[in-house]
Amino acid sequence: MSEEGAYPTYFAFANAAPTAISSQRCISETPDILAGRYRLERLLGAGGMGVVYRARDLLHEQYADPDPYLALKMLSEAFDESPDASALLYSEFALTRRLHHPNILRPYTFEVDAAQRRAFITMELMRGLTLDKLLCERPQGVPWPELKAIAVPLLDALAYAHSRGVLHGDMKPSNIMLSEEGLRLFDFGLGLAEEGPSQHLPNLNRERLNAWTPGYAAPELLEGAPLSAAADVYGVACVLYELASGKHPFRRLPATQARDARLERSLKAPRNLPRHSWPALRMALAFDPGQRRIGAARLRD
């Protein structure tokens, strides 16, 4: 049990059943062992861009490591066929390896299996519950003490990333985990660096592929504007509202549709959020980025 509060009993992410996306197809197209060292055991998750496996480090196992397991991420088949796929995956690795925060998942290594022509990232194998699973179990939301124990480290992690010039790009419940070691923010695959040595890394061609998650993407992203810290704040605000009420603030509609339907006017303070915190969260949920005059650090405070 972590120090963040009395959470429900967690299912182990590391032991989760394969996702509905055809795990057998993914496994059959992927070698059993990568780089002569990592044996893939099971598919943990698959999304539009990447697939994540539970893997066993055979080198560590050879030296009697009692816990030789890790997570291994590679691009999905559609992306892996692109000539710049390895560069895209390396960009995610480079972004996150420079972030040293206890609530941000850090990768271990970036490697390439030359024979298979597959690039991959190895990283910590998290055991816990992602927030989308938590929300399924808590349809009324979570009480304030528990919500605060989630919100503070989450916003602290996001504020830290922004202070380092790194944008996450895909803030949503399934990219946040309550692990045995505490909260973890992960999957910077849609992120980019605004400054520093990582700003010149390759990133996703937004004109070629709109990869945003519609229910959590800020309206300006859906309309082609570049990723910004304000867009990250909108996404995390949707997550926090959902945790506090059990419901998405805009019925999980794309923000552009919710804006056109003027759903912002009927937005009410969620039941589990203290009254004094509502104005800040309300500002973070503004459709107009010019009115979203709050950063992750201020929202945390």
Side-chain angles (χ1 to χ4, degrees), residues 10-18 41-44 54 69 125-128 180:
Y10 296 146
F11 299 107
F13 183 76
N15 297 320
E41 292 198 335
R42 68 179 70 185
L43 182 68
L44 296 178
R54 169 185 164 123
Y69 300 99
L125 180 64
M126 297 181 292
R127 296 174 172 87
E180 295 175 353

Side-chain angles (χ1 to χ4, degrees), residues 117-187:
R117 297 184 179 180
R118 300 297 294 267
F120 58 93
I121 297 172
T122 65
M123 53 194 175
E124 172 189 5
L125 180 64
M126 297 181 292
R127 296 174 172 87
L129 190 71
T130 50
L131 292 191
D132 58 323
K133 301 289 190 349
L134 176 65
L135 285 165
C136 287
E137 295 184 359
R138 311 291 283 278
Q140 302 302 314
V142 297
W144 171 241
E146 188 175 346
L147 173 60
K148 182 179 179 181
I150 296 171
V152 170
L154 172 58
L155 290 169
D156 197 55
L158 186 60
Y160 168 81
H162 287 175
S163 74
R164 302 282 292 176
V166 175
L167 306 177
H168 184 275
D170 198 17
M171 296 298 304
K172 60 184 178 181
S174 59
N175 284 342
I176 304 158
M177 173 169 281
L178 304 176
S179 75
E180 295 175 353
E181 287 77 33
L183 182 139
R184 293 288 190 278
L185 173 62
F186 60 97
D187 197 348

Side-chain angles (χ1 to χ4, degrees), residues 60-300:
H60 286 196
E61 187 175 65
Q62 181 180 348
Y63 286 93
D65 187 332
D67 187 17
Y69 300 99
L70 47 76
L72 189 150
K73 179 177 182 177
M74 63 183 74
L75 291 178
S76 61
E77 182 182 3
F79 279 86
D80 196 55
E81 293 175 352
S82 171
D84 59 351
S86 297
L88 185 62
L89 192 63
Y90 180 80
S91 295
E92 178 182 353
F93 169 77
L95 277 181
T96 51
R97 72 170 177 171
R98 293 183 173 91
L99 299 179
H100 303 272
H101 191 281
N103 301 116
I104 295 177
L105 179 69
R106 290 193 65 208
Y108 294 152
T109 63
F110 172 84
E111 302 184 41
V112 177
D113 185 314
Q116 300 291 335
R117 297 184 179 180
R118 300 297 294 267
F120 58 93
I121 297 172
T122 65
M123 53 194 175
E124 172 189 5
L125 180 64
M126 297 181 292
R127 296 174 172 87
L129 190 71
T130 50
L131 292 191
D132 58 323
K133 301 289 190 349
L134 176 65
L135 285 165
C136 287
E137 295 184 359
R138 311 291 283 278
Q140 302 302 314
V142 297
W144 171 241
E146 188 175 346
L147 173 60
K148 182 179 179 181
I150 296 171
V152 170
L154 172 58
L155 290 169
D156 197 55
L158 186 60
Y160 168 81
H162 287 175
S163 74
R164 302 282 292 176
V166 175
L167 306 177
H168 184 275
D170 198 17
M171 296 298 304
K172 60 184 178 181
S174 59
N175 284 342
I176 304 158
M177 173 169 281
L178 304 176
S179 75
E180 295 175 353
E181 287 77 33
L183 182 139
R184 293 288 190 278
L185 173 62
F186 60 97
D187 197 348
F188 283 71
L190 295 181
L192 56 83
E194 290 186 302
E195 57 187 51
S198 298
Q199 65 180 316
H200 302 298
L201 289 167
N203 54 68
L204 193 66
N205 186 331
R206 317 291 178 181
E207 296 179 359
R208 184 174 63 85
L209 180 69
N210 188 347
W212 309 120
T213 303
Y216 298 91
E220 64 268 23
L221 292 182
L222 299 178
E223 293 176 332
L227 179 61
S228 66
D232 274 351
V233 166
Y234 175 87
V236 78
C238 288
V239 173
L240 295 176
Y241 188 100
E242 200 167 358
L243 286 169
S245 66
K247 298 179 181 179
H248 187 280
F250 307 116
R251 307 173 197 165
R252 291 200 179 89
L253 288 173
T256 47
Q257 292 183 27
R259 180 194 60 197
D260 294 345
R262 300 184 177 181
L263 295 184
E264 192 177 21
R265 294 183 176 183
S266 59
L267 201 58
K268 297 180 180 179
R271 65 174 67 88
N272 295 330
L273 189 74
R275 184 174 299 177
H276 72 270
S277 298
W278 173 232
L281 185 61
R282 179 70 182 76
M283 183 181 294
L285 288 167
F287 292 134
D288 183 351
Q291 296 180 5
R292 210 181 301 139
R293 300 182 303 274
I294 188 168
R298 184 178 163 202
L299 187 57
R300 173 203 61 203

